[in-house]
Amino acid sequence: MNPEQPELRDAAVVVRGDRIVALGPRADIDRQYNAARTIPGDGRVLLPGLINGHTHTAMTLFRGMVDDLDLMTWLNHYVFPMEARFVTPEFVRTGTELACWEMIRGGTTTFVDMYFYPDEIAGVVDRCGLRAVVASPHIDYPSPGFAGWEDSFAAATDFVSRWQDRHPRITPAFAPHAPYTVAPAHLQATVEKALAMDAVISMHLAEAPAESAYIEENFATTPVRHVAGLGLYDTRLIAAHMVQLDAEDIALTAAARVGAVHNPTSNMKLGAGVSPVPAMLAAGVNVGLGTDGAASNNDLDMWDEIRMAALLHKMASGDPTALPAGQALAMATRLGAAAIHMGDRIGRLQVGMQADMIQLDVTRTHQLPLYDVSSHLVYVLGSENVQTTIVAGQVLMQDREVLTLDESALRASVHKASNAIRRALDEQQENE
Ligand SMILES: CSC[C@H]1O[C@@H](n2cnc3c(O)ncnc32)[C@H](O)[C@@H]1O
Ligand SMILES: [Zn+2]
């Protein structure tokens, strides 16, 4: 994933503290360094850790709650009411731990989260060792813990000011929900605060036809031009979805260096449409990949997203050369890092970069033979091949054992939280 350096075979990487300090042929490294600890790499591919550019981690507890609906029905009739009823700090702690467990097992080392009770999320990130952008949500309607815009925006501002530059692996951010749930004046207020505090903004943008219709009817423009006109394109914006775009929107996005995060599984499942990813990449937009929440996916497996993206754009364009394997892989690593405004720190195996790395086993009989590494990673392997997950030089999983979370305690908490949700779903079914 370092475009200047070809794939290395029989190589070694040296880590000191949280950084990569050397990499090259194993024989050279062995001569120059006397490592205190060595992790063998025979039969394994070493890659930069995967970057999930858009998710709602605690929604793992809503996995499979309701399926096969369009975005607005799913949100307004099911998700928002269930969130109002069940989302508490404890719910978020358990759901985020479950998500982090799944991400560590699947080789995701960085994620961008937008969910309620962000201090709980930051606490889990601190303990489990992952890296995250934790974005504090604000929305014009009542949401868990808040009556509406005023208090949710005040809490987001407080969260960003308390976490900015405080933790080496946690980046706080603002999260206005979407252009159809946050008024223009409130989006402008977010821009002012984010610029003053040098903070990132993460938001849903141009996701589905209903959003475009609402913005066209109320503001006579597209969602992208609407938010760009309010100043969001002058900030370090991470725009999730970016499906409903025209050529002018794409040019604006490229020029503003706005990061776009493509969520192929969620877009397909909610019938939101096909994001013009090949056109964005051709225009120079940094396009990353995300899972969205487990309630619209229904997992947080980035290998699925990589493969879905590579296949979806071939099918949608009728062009089998669209989004080749290497480009799909770059979207989950190097390009994804740039899309979330962290391209100087993560996404590449290179001296000076953070030591966020994963090892995949490539020796399983049913997955043989291996001819081309990129092709194999995208079209053959999956999360079950990830053997080792390392973030900032700390080993979070070795030989598929997660070292930083307690699996049996986590299973008990998930059981407790999901029992209450199951009872509510049963009641709802009885009343329908
Ligand atoms: C304010 S961010 C958290 C908020 O977003 C909701 N959400 C989850 N997935 C999506 C999506 O694809 N589009 C729009 N909103 C989404 C989530 O349920 C929370 O309420
Ligand atoms: Zn989302």
Side-chain angles (χ1 to χ4, degrees):
M1 288 301 116
N2 174 3
E4 277 107 55
Q5 183 154 42
E7 185 183 298
L8 289 171
R9 289 178 188 228
D10 201 14
V13 174
V14 183
V15 173
R16 189 175 292 137
D18 60 0
R19 280 166 202 256
I20 295 172
V21 294
L23 84 178
R26 179 154 52 165
D28 296 353
I29 297 285
D30 279 348
R31 260 195 308 278
Q32 292 171 43
Y33 292 88
N34 186 13
R37 178 181 182 183
T38 304
I39 298 177
D42 304 278
R44 293 176 176 187
V45 171
L46 186 77
L47 270 188
L50 305 182
I51 297 164
N52 185 345
H54 177 70
T55 188
H56 311 275
T57 48
M59 293 184 86
T60 46
L61 291 177
F62 290 139
R63 193 196 313 269
M65 176 178 76
V66 58
D67 300 303
D68 309 329
L69 296 167
D70 69 279
L71 172 67
M72 297 305 174
T73 312
W74 176 79
L75 265 183
N76 294 323
H77 294 282
Y78 295 92
V79 173
F80 287 158
M82 289 299 272
E83 286 178 333
R85 208 165 150 187
F86 288 104
V87 174
T88 61
E90 190 186 357
F91 174 103
V92 170
R93 197 161 53 246
T94 301
T96 306
E97 277 192 10
L98 180 60
C100 290
W101 168 271
E102 183 179 354
M103 289 192 282
I104 292 170
R105 294 264 296 180
T108 293
T109 52
T110 296
F111 62 98
V112 178
D113 206 358
M114 292 169 77
Y115 214 61
F116 310 106
Y117 302 108
D119 283 292
E120 295 293 340
I121 301 172
V124 176
V125 172
D126 173 51
R127 290 192 294 279
C128 79
L130 286 170
R131 189 184 301 283
V133 175
V134 181
S136 183
H138 31 114
I139 181 165
D140 287 1
Y141 303 97
S143 61
F146 300 114
W149 163 261
E150 303 292 341
D151 53 354
S152 60
F153 183 54
T157 307
D158 174 57
F159 176 77
V160 173
S161 68
R162 283 187 291 106
W163 282 93
Q164 187 79 310
D165 300 322
R166 294 288 156 82
H167 193 290
R169 291 179 284 102
I170 297 172
T171 305
F174 287 94
H177 173 254
Y180 53 92
T181 50
V182 183
H186 297 163
L187 288 174
Q188 277 170 327
T190 310
V191 168
E192 272 170 36
K193 277 279 184 240
L195 289 175
M197 299 169 86
D198 192 25
V200 172
I201 300 178
S202 168
M203 82 182 289
H204 297 102
L205 184 58
E207 181 175 359
E211 173 182 339
S212 301
Y214 173 86
I215 299 293
E216 176 61 37
E217 198 177 318
N218 288 278
F219 306 106
T221 186
T222 65
V224 161
R225 296 206 274 286
H226 173 62
V227 303
L230 297 169
L232 276 145
Y233 267 41
D234 305 322
T235 70
R236 284 188 291 144
L237 179 64
I238 305 170
H241 296 296
M242 300 293 270
V243 177
Q244 307 294 329
L245 308 178
D246 64 17
E248 192 179 332
D249 293 336
I250 294 174
L252 270 176
T253 304
R257 310 307 291 157
V258 165
V261 179
H262 179 39
N263 299 261
T265 304
S266 170
N267 294 162
M268 286 192 271
K269 190 152 190 265
L270 296 170
V274 181
S275 170
V277 168
M280 281 198 277
L281 289 169
V285 177
N286 291 319
V287 187
L289 281 175
T291 56
D292 212 350
S296 61
N297 185 302
N298 295 3
D299 58 43
L300 306 180
D301 186 334
M302 284 294 291
W303 298 100
D304 283 354
E305 300 311 311
I306 294 169
R307 191 173 308 111
M308 287 291 180
L311 298 178
L312 168 64
H313 296 287
K314 291 170 177 55
M315 191 198 73
S317 63
D319 174 5
T321 69
L323 212 67
Q327 206 170 27
L329 212 47
M331 287 168 67
T333 52
R334 178 170 54 81
L335 279 177
I340 66 165
H341 309 285
M342 285 192 185
D344 57 339
R345 270 176 287 164
I346 58 170
R348 279 174 288 164
L349 295 184
Q350 198 174 305
V351 171
M353 301 294 273
Q354 286 287 301
D356 292 9
M357 313 184 288
I358 56 175
Q359 281 186 318
L360 288 97
D361 174 16
V362 290
T363 62
R364 294 177 178 201
T365 308
H366 72 286
Q367 294 171 329
L368 296 175
L370 190 169
Y371 296 118
D372 177 275
V373 174
S374 290
S375 155
H376 210 69
L377 287 165
V378 174
Y379 298 119
V380 180
L381 303 185
S383 59
E384 67 285 355
N385 291 93
V386 179
Q387 294 294 318
T388 316
T389 301
I390 300 171
V391 176
Q394 185 190 0
V395 181
L396 309 186
M397 178 174 78
Q398 184 154 17
D399 299 324
R400 292 205 61 66
E401 187 193 347
V402 178
L403 305 174
T404 53
L405 289 165
D406 176 344
E407 185 179 7
S408 53
L410 172 60
R411 288 177 69 96
S413 310
V414 170
H415 195 64
K416 190 173 156 211
S418 57
N419 272 344
I421 296 171
R422 190 172 297 108
R423 273 196 300 276
L425 290 171
D426 289 347
E427 272 167 31
Q428 198 173 312
Q429 258 181 357
E430 276 166 26
N431 294 335
E432 272 170 9

